[in-house]
Amino acid sequence: MNSLSMILRILAIVAALAAAALFFVGKGKLAEQHAAQVKAEQATVAVQAELSSANEQIGKLETNLKNERESLADEKRKLESVRSEMYTAKQEVSRSQQQLSESKKTIRELESAAQRLRADLLQSEQNLIAANKESELAQLNERIAELEKSNADFKESLDRAQERLANSRAAGAKSAANGVLTAGSGSYSSHFTPTASQPLPQATIGAETTVQSLSTQNGLIVLANTPELALAPGAQVTVIKDMKALGKIQVVQVTDKLVVANLLPGAQANKMTVGSAIKILN
């Protein structure tokens, strides 16, 4: 019994020692756990603060991202609008270039047609003037024949007058030789009757016109016609430039827009350049 009691006491002491050891060990671990918990709480607070700051930054970033997305969408819309305008402008430029090309082609065709018409007009004028020249040549031949006939008549009349004058002088010489002089009996009778003088027509400078074409080889000049010129076929007028006479021309044909004339001998054709302004002395 004593040994059992001893053993129980020893076991009780051992148990008490173990319990004390466990108490102290548990107390140390508890302190360590408390310290670890405090540190964990502090770390949690710090992480929560950082998390809050991170959340705020994320919110700001999300706001900035949203603004950037809106700005990017706006820039995309503007870019699409600019692209659309550029495409429209490119189409307009292409259409304008095509229209310009067609206009240039039309202008070239019109210029070519104008040159052909001008050449045809000049050829027609030359043909017309050649035909008029033939008719004028026939008229001149007729006029020359008339002048030759008038010249012959005038020569015959002059011969008769000289004969009468010679007979009169012979009769006068014979009367002087005979010494017979009767006053009042030999009165001289003249059959010449003076005509009343008429005022010469005054020359006037007509309206201004321009030289449209000039051919010195054919002796032709084409003027721009206006109602103020009042020119008719067959009229002979003097060309004036810078108040200087350049010679005479004879009108051959008159149209609504043109006056075709011949350059008469003595005309200064080198001063009648195409496009120059001249005046007509009627």
Side-chain angles (χ1 to χ4, degrees):
M1 289 291 292
N2 290 328
S3 59
L4 180 60
S5 169
M6 184 63 92
I7 292 169
L8 289 173
R9 287 180 181 177
I10 293 170
L11 290 173
I13 292 168
V14 172
L17 292 173
L22 290 172
F23 175 76
F24 287 110
V25 171
K27 188 175 181 181
K29 289 183 178 181
L30 184 62
E32 290 177 358
Q33 289 180 354
H34 180 70
Q37 185 179 0
V38 170
K39 289 181 179 180
E41 289 178 354
Q42 291 177 353
T44 301
V45 171
V47 168
Q48 287 180 352
E50 291 178 357
L51 184 60
S52 298
S53 177
N55 288 331
E56 291 179 359
Q57 291 180 358
I58 289 171
K60 292 180 180 180
L61 290 174
E62 288 178 350
T63 303
N64 292 334
L65 181 60
K66 183 179 179 181
N67 295 331
E68 290 296 331
R69 284 178 178 175
E70 292 178 354
S71 177
L72 181 61
D74 190 17
E75 291 297 329
K76 285 184 177 180
R77 287 193 297 270
K78 290 181 179 179
L79 182 59
E80 292 296 330
S81 177
V82 171
R83 285 179 178 176
S84 177
E85 292 177 357
M86 288 180 63
Y87 180 74
T88 304
K90 188 176 181 180
Q91 288 182 338
E92 291 293 334
V93 170
S94 179
R95 283 196 295 268
S96 300
Q97 289 178 349
Q98 185 176 2
Q99 292 176 357
L100 182 61
S101 178
E102 292 177 354
S103 300
K104 287 182 178 179
K105 183 179 179 180
T106 304
I107 290 172
R108 287 194 297 269
E109 292 176 353
L110 290 175
E111 289 177 350
S112 178
Q115 290 178 357
R116 290 196 301 270
L117 291 174
R118 186 179 182 86
D120 294 340
L121 177 61
L122 290 177
Q123 186 64 35
S124 300
E125 290 173 355
Q126 291 177 0
N127 295 335
L128 179 62
I129 290 168
N132 290 331
K133 281 187 175 180
E134 292 178 357
S135 62
E136 288 178 2
L137 183 60
Q139 293 177 359
L140 288 175
N141 290 330
E142 293 177 359
R143 182 61 176 167
I144 290 172
E146 292 177 358
L147 290 175
E148 288 178 349
K149 183 179 179 181
S150 299
N151 189 22
D153 294 339
F154 178 73
K155 187 175 182 181
E156 185 179 356
S157 300
L158 182 60
D159 291 338
R160 287 198 299 268
Q162 288 178 352
E163 185 179 357
R164 286 196 301 270
L165 181 59
N167 293 333
S168 177
R169 287 179 178 176
K174 186 177 180 181
S175 298
N178 293 330
V180 178
L181 180 62
T182 304
S185 61
S187 61
Y188 175 75
S189 176
S190 174
H191 297 284
F192 175 75
T193 303
T195 58
S197 62
Q198 297 180 356
L200 296 176
Q202 295 182 354
T204 58
I205 298 179
E208 187 178 78
T209 183
T210 55
V211 179
Q212 299 296 315
S213 178
L214 180 67
S215 177
T216 56
Q217 295 179 353
N218 298 324
L220 300 177
I221 185 171
V222 181
L223 306 176
N225 189 20
T226 58
E228 291 78 8
L229 292 178
L231 294 178
Q236 291 187 6
V237 293
T238 302
V239 177
I240 303 295
K241 183 179 180 182
D242 298 331
M243 300 307 293
K244 293 182 181 180
L246 302 182
K248 290 188 176 182
I249 61 174
Q250 185 175 12
V251 180
V252 177
Q253 183 184 7
V254 178
T255 64
D256 294 337
K257 296 182 179 181
L258 299 175
V259 175
V260 183
N262 288 328
L263 294 171
L264 297 181
Q268 301 177 18
N270 58 341
K271 295 184 180 179
M272 302 179 192
T273 57
V274 177
S276 60
I278 61 173
K279 291 186 177 181
I280 301 300
L281 180 62
N282 296 322

